[in-house]
């Protein structure tokens, strides 16, 4: 619901708008002289109102931005908040239109099962995109202008997901002509979403330029400084506190929650909402049946205990099934399995044995696998788009594309992930901490690539962080580990971002460390980094010389990729029951 316009700041905005906007536009024109922006951008901004020019000055698609806000050109009382709302509103309209166009094109042009499935995927993905844009619109509308900056992280989280959904839609098509047609049909939607993210990313600067107080920014700044100091200086003490507690759970977790999270089938101290058992000893024989019993208007968590067994069923935690906690008897005892794969005409998105969509999903002591084998090509074991999701003591086993960390903020602790080609991939803000990462023996003429991160916009808050993990070969790979090249990753998209830090890298990792995706694609624009790693594979003397790669030497730079600042783990991991540390391990 759209919030009311500001009263306290309204008059002052109108008074200063002309002066400040002129300064902003002038500054950006000066910057454009030494940047990659061409003269057309200046002309576009020069031919619109100063207010619209100020909002659109930092966007990548200025003409699209100006056109989307043109109806407000003569609104002299409009505030930056009004422009942001309008930009999101128009983006929603364009995503809806793009969804209709892509569905029509897919229906007419898709001639095989894979392309038809990709068309259906697009419909689902663009619905998710609209949901996230609507959440962004509501967040802006429900907050006073000076508080919007405090919502910047959340807005960027949602908008990053929108961009990922749009890209995933296009990636599903393998016929070049059809893929190009779908991309063209979504062009307006993708450009306007990009622009909204650019506007949100600079909201603090805009409000500061207007001399508008930014919520509790001064307090936030001091708090951030204090947090940084604590993460740098006291992290080892925090880690010790995590482990020296009842049942391995943090001391700050209430006793009742610790009992719940520690429940087992032998006289559980706090019974779950649903018990699944293949042998009939539970309330349900399948995980799907337990999920179907998810109550409406749920308050708190819905807890599902899945007893030991191999569950050959395709599971999706839907977007409406939020705050589910699912635990098993161990990652080698409670296993969800499947074998859908690209070879059999299934899109990567649809191949997952288990998909977690609803926000706040937690899994503990479970295994997820895809048994299609290396010849199945893309075959996902676990796909995660759940925001603020956590996986503790879990296994994800497959070959190509094992773990699809698709969108939002994700945390993995004490997990095992195995695979061959790009087996940890996606466009989430994901942290793997204290995990075992196992490269398997691939097919002939294949190489191993641990990661393939999918950030397509430099302003996205996404990236893949591997911290204090071990990257090792499986036993079958061990004797031929120097004959089969194994790399830490390759840049899947233009702004792929992956950081491996404080981890142990076995000797099978190629001295170059990373490999290209295709030619020179993204080598200058990606962000690939290593910090404080150990082991024979961690020697960086012969690493690739890309502009987009660096060995981090500044501790403060490494700190920005830790749990607290990167996924705001200090705000939500406490409720998951998973041990963690917020900053650097050492």
């Amino acid at each position: 619901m759209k919030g009311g316009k500001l009263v306290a700041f309204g008059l002052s905005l109108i008074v200063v708008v002309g002066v400040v906007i002129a300064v902003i536009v002038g500054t950006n024109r000066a910057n454009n002289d030494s940047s990659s922006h061409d003269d057309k951008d200046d002309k576009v901004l020069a031919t619109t109102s100063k207010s619209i020019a100020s909002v659109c000055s930092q966007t990548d698609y200025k003409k699209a931005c100006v056109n989307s806000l043109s109806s407000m050109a003569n609104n002299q009382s409009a505030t930056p908040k009004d422009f942001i709302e309008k930009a999101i509103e128009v983006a929603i309209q364009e995503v809806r239109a793009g969804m209709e166009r892509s569905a029509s094109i897919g229906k007419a042009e898709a001639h095989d099962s894979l392309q038809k499935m990709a068309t259906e995927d697009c419909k689902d993905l663009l619905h998710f995109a609209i949901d996230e844009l609507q959440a962004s619109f509501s967040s802006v509308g429900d907050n006073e202008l000076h508080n919007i900056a405090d919502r910047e992280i959340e807005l960027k989280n949602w908008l990053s997901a929108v961009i990922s959904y749009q890209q995933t839609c296009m990636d599903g098509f393998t016929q070049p002509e059809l893929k190009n047609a779908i991309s063209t049909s979504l062009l307006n939607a993708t450009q306007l979403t990009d622009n909204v993210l650019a506007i949100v990313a600079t909201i603090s600067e805009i409000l500061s330029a207007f001399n508008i107080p930014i919520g509790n920014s001064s307090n936030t700044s001091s708090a951030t400084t204090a947090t940084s100091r604590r993460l740098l200086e006291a992290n080892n003490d925090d880690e010790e506190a995590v482990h020296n507690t009842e049942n391995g759970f943090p001391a700050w977790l209430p006793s009742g929650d610790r009992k719940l999270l520690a429940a087992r089938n032998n006289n559980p101290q706090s019974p779950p909402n649903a018990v699944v058992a293949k042998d009939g000893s539970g309330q349900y024989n399948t995980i799907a049946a337990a999920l179907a019993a998810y109550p409406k208007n749920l308050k708190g968590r819905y807890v599902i205990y899945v007893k030991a067994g191999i569950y050959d069923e395709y599971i999706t935690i839907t977007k409406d099934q939020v705050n589910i906690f699912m635990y098993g008897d161990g990652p080698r005892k409670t296993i969800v399995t499947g074998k859908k794969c690209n070879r059999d005409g299934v899109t990567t998105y649809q191949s997952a044995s288990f998909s977690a969509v609803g926000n706040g999903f937690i899994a503990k002591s479970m295994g997820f696998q895809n048994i299609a084998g290396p010849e199945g090509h893309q075959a996902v074991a676990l796909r995660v788009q759940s925001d603020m999701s956590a996986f503790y003591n879990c296994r994800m086993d497959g070959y190509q594309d094992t773990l699809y960390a698709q969108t939002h903020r994700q945390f993995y602790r004490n997990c095992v992930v195995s695979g061959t080609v790009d087996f940890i991939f996606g466009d989430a803000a994901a942290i793997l901490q204290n995990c075992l990462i196992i490269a398997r023996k691939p097919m002939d003429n294949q190489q191993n690539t641990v990661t393939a991160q999918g950030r397509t916009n430099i302003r996205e808050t996404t990236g893949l962080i591997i911290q204090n993990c071990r990257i090792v070969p499986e036993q079958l790979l061990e004797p031929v580990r120097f004959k089969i090249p194994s790399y830490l990753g390759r840049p899947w998209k233009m702004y792929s971002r992956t950081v491996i830090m404080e981890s142990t890298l076995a000797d099978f990792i190629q001295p170059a460390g990373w490999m290209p995706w295709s030619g020179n694609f993204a080598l200058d624009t990606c962000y690939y980094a290593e910090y404080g790693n150990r082991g024979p594979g961690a020697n960086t003397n012969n690493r690739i010389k890309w502009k987009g790669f660096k060995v981090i030497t500044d501790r403060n730079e490494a700190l920005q990729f830790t749990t607290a600042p990167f996924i705001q783990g200090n705000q939500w991991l406490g409720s998951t029951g998973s041990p963690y540390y917020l900053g650097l391990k050492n």
Side-chain angles (χ1 to χ4, degrees):
M1 181 170 60
K2 186 173 179 179
K5 291 184 178 179
L6 290 172
V7 175
F9 298 105
L11 293 176
S12 60
L13 277 172
I14 296 171
V15 172
V16 301
V17 71
V19 175
V20 176
I21 289 173
V23 171
I24 293 173
V25 175
T27 300
N28 282 296
R29 284 182 178 170
N31 292 338
N32 285 345
D33 290 339
S34 58
S35 72
S36 61
H37 296 149
D38 57 31
D39 292 339
K40 291 182 179 178
D41 291 337
D42 286 337
K43 292 178 180 178
V44 167
L45 296 180
T47 56
T48 188
S49 70
K50 290 182 178 179
S51 54
I52 292 178
S54 71
V55 175
C56 295
S57 62
Q58 292 297 315
T59 61
D60 293 331
Y61 304 99
K62 293 178 174 57
K63 183 176 181 180
C65 181
V66 169
N67 290 341
S68 68
L69 301 178
S70 60
S71 64
M72 301 181 68
N74 297 320
N75 187 345
Q76 299 300 318
S77 62
T79 70
K81 174 180 174 177
D82 297 320
F83 286 114
I84 297 172
E85 286 186 297
K86 187 64 178 179
I88 298 173
E89 180 184 354
V90 175
I92 292 172
Q93 294 170 358
E94 282 301 324
V95 173
R96 285 201 177 106
M99 181 168 61
E100 293 176 1
R101 287 192 295 267
S102 63
S104 177
I105 293 169
K107 185 177 181 180
E109 301 297 330
H111 301 305
D112 62 57
S113 62
L114 191 64
Q115 311 311 310
K116 291 176 182 178
M117 186 174 290
T119 302
E120 291 301 311
D121 290 350
C122 269
K123 183 178 179 180
D124 289 342
L125 289 159
L126 296 177
H127 272 302
F128 286 130
I130 291 169
D131 288 345
E132 307 262 355
L133 284 168
Q134 288 175 331
S136 302
F137 183 86
S138 297
S139 181
V140 172
D142 292 343
N143 282 275
E144 297 298 321
L145 179 58
H146 57 295
N147 288 328
I148 292 176
D150 289 337
R151 302 290 294 166
E152 182 181 332
I153 290 176
E154 202 70 21
L155 288 167
K156 289 195 290 188
N157 172 46
W158 292 330
L159 293 168
S160 296
V162 174
I163 290 173
S164 179
Y165 295 139
Q166 293 168 343
Q167 189 64 47
T168 303
C169 164
M170 294 180 281
D171 285 341
F173 295 93
T174 56
Q175 293 178 357
E177 298 82 2
L178 181 54
K179 184 170 186 173
N180 288 336
I182 295 295
S183 298
T184 300
S185 74
L186 292 174
L187 185 61
N188 288 345
T190 55
Q191 289 186 352
L192 290 172
T193 302
D194 181 296
N195 286 345
V196 173
L197 179 57
I199 293 168
V200 168
T202 57
I203 187 61
S204 295
E205 290 82 352
I206 292 173
L207 298 186
S208 295
F210 280 89
N211 295 318
I212 299 172
I214 306 175
N216 296 318
S217 58
S218 60
N219 294 334
T220 301
S221 178
S222 61
T224 301
T225 302
T227 299
S228 298
R229 187 180 302 113
R230 180 171 61 82
L231 294 181
L232 284 168
E233 298 175 358
N235 194 67
N236 288 336
D237 292 337
D238 291 345
E239 173 71 355
E240 184 177 356
V242 164
H243 286 291
N244 294 334
T245 55
E246 178 184 349
N247 294 320
F249 296 113
W252 35 254
L253 197 65
S255 177
D257 286 351
R258 288 203 299 272
K259 291 177 181 179
L260 175 64
L261 294 168
R264 295 293 186 269
N265 66 340
N266 293 325
N267 190 27
Q269 297 167 309
S270 182
N273 300 93
V275 177
V276 181
K278 290 181 70 68
D279 61 8
S281 61
Q283 297 159 278
Y284 306 97
N285 293 329
T286 65
I287 298 172
L291 288 170
Y294 180 91
K296 294 182 178 180
N297 303 317
L298 172 72
K299 293 183 179 179
R301 287 208 173 272
Y302 185 63
V303 182
I304 302 174
Y305 167 40
V306 186
K307 290 188 177 184
I310 297 177
Y311 294 83
D312 189 359
E313 48 180 320
Y314 293 96
I315 297 298
T316 297
I317 309 296
T318 67
K319 67 178 180 180
D320 297 323
Q321 294 173 329
V322 300
N323 293 329
I324 286 179
F325 171 54
M326 186 179 294
Y327 67 96
D329 283 324
R332 291 186 180 275
K333 294 181 178 180
T334 300
I335 300 171
V336 180
T337 189
K339 57 182 180 180
K340 289 182 179 180
C341 61
N342 192 254
R343 175 201 58 199
D344 296 337
V346 180
T347 60
T348 304
Y349 176 74
Q350 290 287 347
S351 70
S353 304
F354 192 104
S355 299
V357 179
N359 291 341
F361 178 75
I362 303 172
K364 179 174 179 284
S365 300
M366 292 187 65
F368 308 93
Q369 65 181 22
N370 190 311
I371 59 171
E375 63 277 3
H377 301 292
Q378 294 93 332
V380 177
L382 174 67
R383 178 176 68 86
V384 184
Q385 69 183 78
S386 170
D387 193 20
M388 296 183 286
S389 54
F391 295 79
Y392 174 51
N393 191 31
C394 291
R395 283 189 70 102
M396 302 87 181
D397 293 310
Y399 284 87
Q400 183 170 345
D401 292 357
T402 303
L403 173 58
Y404 188 177
Q406 186 182 0
T407 56
H408 296 122
R409 293 164 292 191
Q410 307 176 14
F411 183 75
Y412 301 81
R413 171 74 180 221
N414 296 358
C415 292
V416 177
V417 188
S418 72
T420 54
V421 179
D422 306 335
F423 63 95
I424 305 174
F425 77 109
D427 193 25
I431 293 182
L432 281 75
Q433 195 177 87
N434 289 31
C435 292
L436 178 63
I437 298 171
I438 303 174
R440 307 179 75 173
K441 186 179 179 181
M443 292 193 299
D444 292 342
N445 301 316
Q446 281 188 330
Q447 76 289 319
N448 284 325
T449 43
V450 176
T451 67
Q453 206 279 328
R455 191 171 66 143
T456 60
N457 185 305
I458 197 170
R459 301 180 185 89
E460 284 184 76
T461 56
T462 60
L464 179 61
I465 313 301
I466 295 176
Q467 182 185 18
N468 198 40
C469 295
R470 288 192 297 137
I471 302 178
V472 301
E474 71 168 354
Q475 289 185 349
L476 284 176
L477 179 62
E478 181 77 25
V480 292
R481 67 189 186 281
F482 298 128
K483 297 179 181 179
I484 298 175
S486 294
Y487 298 88
L488 297 173
R490 54 179 181 161
W492 180 27
K493 301 296 181 181
M494 184 65 73
Y495 295 99
S496 292
R497 179 163 61 178
T498 302
V499 179
I500 297 180
M501 58 186 186
E502 302 185 304
S503 294
T504 300
L505 314 183
D507 61 2
F508 76 116
I509 296 299
Q510 288 287 302
W514 310 81
M515 69 171 290
W517 183 269
S518 177
N520 293 323
F521 173 75
L523 304 189
D524 290 345
T525 53
C526 66
Y527 183 93
Y528 275 46
E530 298 178 50
Y531 172 78
N533 294 316
R534 53 196 176 268
N539 189 325
T540 58
N541 290 340
N542 294 310
R543 287 295 195 251
I544 40 84
K545 305 301 181 184
W546 307 343
K547 183 178 178 181
F549 171 77
K550 71 180 302 183
V551 177
I552 297 175
T553 56
D554 184 349
R555 190 175 176 85
N556 285 316
E557 183 175 356
L559 185 64
Q560 68 181 304
F561 300 110
T562 57
T563 304
F566 197 72
I567 60 172
Q568 297 76 57
N570 54 312
Q571 299 176 18
W572 60 274
L573 277 176
S575 65
T576 67
S578 171
Y580 60 90
Y581 38 90
L582 295 175
L584 295 169
K585 176 67 171 65
N586 300 307

